[in-house]
């Protein structure tokens, strides 16, 4: 998230850990020479001289991309821990893009994280998948750290933000509009979405909240619609995660 680097001189590392489908390298036209796999293999010997050879600079943002898609790639959780321990000494904010498949290395990262963001859209299928994943995260006692980033949201949503919070039992921590044109233009140029666009301003506002003030959960109770009832029946009931402020 480049917007975060512009707030209080925050040093940010973004790591793509979706080894089967990671797209950050493609979206930003990054070189193929090094990837997160190389960083993992050399993590036990990591030092300040080796690190610059492994990360890609994208403005003020440091990136570790996933390399070419390879579903057979396996990352040792111990190597992830070595990377985390090293990176924490150099960065104010560590962000990881996970596949959502709950691999062992993803679980290790989530266990070490202060916050877990689950990206979903207002569509029924996306909300159902979010509930399935939340049910698993609850089983390993990580659900209290989870908040929703609601993408492709607009005023015409069939389900309101309040109903989504009630359905999932966790707060929406960020809402982003449907920015197909802005994202397509940025992808074509191999760069980030312009901050002057509506989507860019939403991302900037979220970054400021994330870095400076922490995230405030909000909730509201509302009578569910028939679609909500159907989604509730599809997955066993879950205890609601705390809706208190999450500290930075």
């Amino acid at each position: 998230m480049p917007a975060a680097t512009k707030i209080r001189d925050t040093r940010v590392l973004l790591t793509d850990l979706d080894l089967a489908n990671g797209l950050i390298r493609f979206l930003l036209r990054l070189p193929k020479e090094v990837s997160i796999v190389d960083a993992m293999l050399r993590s036990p010997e990591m030092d300040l001289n080796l690190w610059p050879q492994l990360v890609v600079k994208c403005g003020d943002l440091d990136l570790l991309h996933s390399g070419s898609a390879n579903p057979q790639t396996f990352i040792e959780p111990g190597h992830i821990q070595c990377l985390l321990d090293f990176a924490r000494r150099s960065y104010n904010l560590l962000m990881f893009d996970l596949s959502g498949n709950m691999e062992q290395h993803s679980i290790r990262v989530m266990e070490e994280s202060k916050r877990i963001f689950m990206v979903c859209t207002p569509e029924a299928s996306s909300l159902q998948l979010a509930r399935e994943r939340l049910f698993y995260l609850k089983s390993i006692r990580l659900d209290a750290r989870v908040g929703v980033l609601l993408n492709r949201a607009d005023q015409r949503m069939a389900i309101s933000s309040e109903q989504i919070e009630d359905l999932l039992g966790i707060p929406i921590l960020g809402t982003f509009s449907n920015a197909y044109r802005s994202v397509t233009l940025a992808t074509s140029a191999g760069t980030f979405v312009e901050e002057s666009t509506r989507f860019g301003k939403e991302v900037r506002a979220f970054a400021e909240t994330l870095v400076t003030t922490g995230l405030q959960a909000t909730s509201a109770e509302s009578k569910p619609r028939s679609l909500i009832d159907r989604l509730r029946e599809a997955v066993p009931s879950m205890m609601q995660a705390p809706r208190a402020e999450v500290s930075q």
Side-chain angles (χ1 to χ4, degrees), residues 4-11 92 211-213:
T5 65
K6 301 176 183 179
I7 303 168
R8 295 188 179 181
D9 298 319
T10 303
R11 292 204 66 201
N92 307 107
V211 173
T212 62
T213 62

Side-chain angles (χ1 to χ4, degrees), residues 13-30:
L13 173 67
L14 173 60
T15 302
D16 188 352
L17 277 178
D18 186 349
L19 303 179
N21 301 295
L23 287 174
I24 290 178
R25 178 178 62 83
F26 165 75
L27 294 174
L28 296 176
R29 300 181 182 178
L30 302 178

Side-chain angles (χ1 to χ4, degrees), residues 36-37 39-44 46 74-86 105 108:
I36 182 62
V37 176
M40 291 297 103
L41 293 174
R42 305 192 67 177
S43 59
M46 194 65 68
F74 175 77
I75 292 180
E76 290 282 352
H79 287 172
I80 282 285
Q81 191 64 57
C82 289
L83 176 69
L84 288 170
D85 292 342
F86 177 84
H105 64 263
R108 174 61 65 87

Side-chain angles (χ1 to χ4, degrees), residues 107-136:
I107 298 298
R108 174 61 65 87
V109 168
M110 288 189 283
E111 288 174 341
E112 294 288 328
S113 299
K114 292 182 179 179
R115 303 186 184 108
I116 302 169
F117 300 114
M118 182 172 293
V119 181
C120 70
T121 65
E123 287 81 18
S125 56
S126 181
L127 294 172
Q128 168 61 15
L129 184 58
R131 280 177 59 81
E132 294 279 358
R133 287 172 175 164
L134 279 168
F135 188 67
Y136 176 74

Side-chain angles (χ1 to χ4, degrees), residues 4-248:
T5 65
K6 301 176 183 179
I7 303 168
R8 295 188 179 181
D9 298 319
T10 303
R11 292 204 66 201
V12 182
L13 173 67
L14 173 60
T15 302
D16 188 352
L17 277 178
D18 186 349
L19 303 179
N21 301 295
L23 287 174
I24 290 178
R25 178 178 62 83
F26 165 75
L27 294 174
L28 296 176
R29 300 181 182 178
L30 302 178
K32 297 181 179 180
E33 284 75 14
V34 294
S35 69
I36 182 62
V37 176
D38 300 292
M40 291 297 103
L41 293 174
R42 305 192 67 177
S43 59
E45 58 182 291
M46 194 65 68
D47 59 31
L48 294 176
N49 293 319
L50 176 59
W51 184 251
Q53 303 173 36
L54 298 171
V55 297
V56 178
K57 299 289 290 186
C58 204
D60 294 325
L61 179 69
D62 282 4
L63 281 160
L64 279 173
H65 64 73
S66 61
S68 300
N70 185 356
Q72 303 303 316
T73 302
F74 175 77
I75 292 180
E76 290 282 352
H79 287 172
I80 282 285
Q81 191 64 57
C82 289
L83 176 69
L84 288 170
D85 292 342
F86 177 84
R88 280 173 173 149
R89 299 195 294 267
S90 302
Y91 297 92
N92 307 107
L93 182 63
L94 303 179
M95 303 189 71
F96 295 83
D97 186 10
L98 307 179
S99 69
N101 294 327
M102 306 300 175
E103 308 95 337
Q104 286 302 307
H105 64 263
S106 295
I107 298 298
R108 174 61 65 87
V109 168
M110 288 189 283
E111 288 174 341
E112 294 288 328
S113 299
K114 292 182 179 179
R115 303 186 184 108
I116 302 169
F117 300 114
M118 182 172 293
V119 181
C120 70
T121 65
E123 287 81 18
S125 56
S126 181
L127 294 172
Q128 168 61 15
L129 184 58
R131 280 177 59 81
E132 294 279 358
R133 287 172 175 164
L134 279 168
F135 188 67
Y136 176 74
L137 291 173
K138 180 179 182 300
S139 73
I140 58 175
R141 300 183 179 182
L142 289 177
D143 56 306
R145 306 181 194 184
V146 184
V148 171
L149 299 184
L150 186 63
N151 198 17
R152 297 208 296 269
D154 58 41
Q155 296 179 346
R156 297 174 295 177
M157 293 190 305
I159 304 175
S160 69
S161 298
E162 290 78 11
Q163 288 176 310
I164 292 173
E165 286 188 322
D166 185 58
L167 169 68
L168 299 178
I170 58 175
I172 295 175
L173 302 180
T175 301
F176 306 93
S177 58
N178 192 346
Y180 180 81
R181 174 177 170 78
S182 297
V183 172
T184 300
L185 290 174
T187 301
S188 299
T191 187
F192 298 103
V193 174
E194 290 288 341
E195 283 195 27
S196 59
T197 64
R198 177 182 176 185
F199 185 77
K201 292 176 181 177
E202 291 168 347
V203 171
R204 171 75 183 198
F206 174 70
E208 289 176 346
T209 302
L210 181 65
V211 173
T212 62
T213 62
L215 296 171
Q216 193 80 20
T218 58
S219 64
E221 294 187 1
S222 177
K223 184 178 180 180
R225 300 179 181 179
S226 58
L227 177 58
I228 297 289
D229 289 333
R230 287 176 53 203
L231 288 166
R232 287 187 188 283
E233 293 169 359
V235 177
S237 298
M238 298 181 293
M239 291 178 61
Q240 283 201 338
R243 292 175 181 254
E245 181 179 351
V246 185
S247 59
Q248 178 69 25

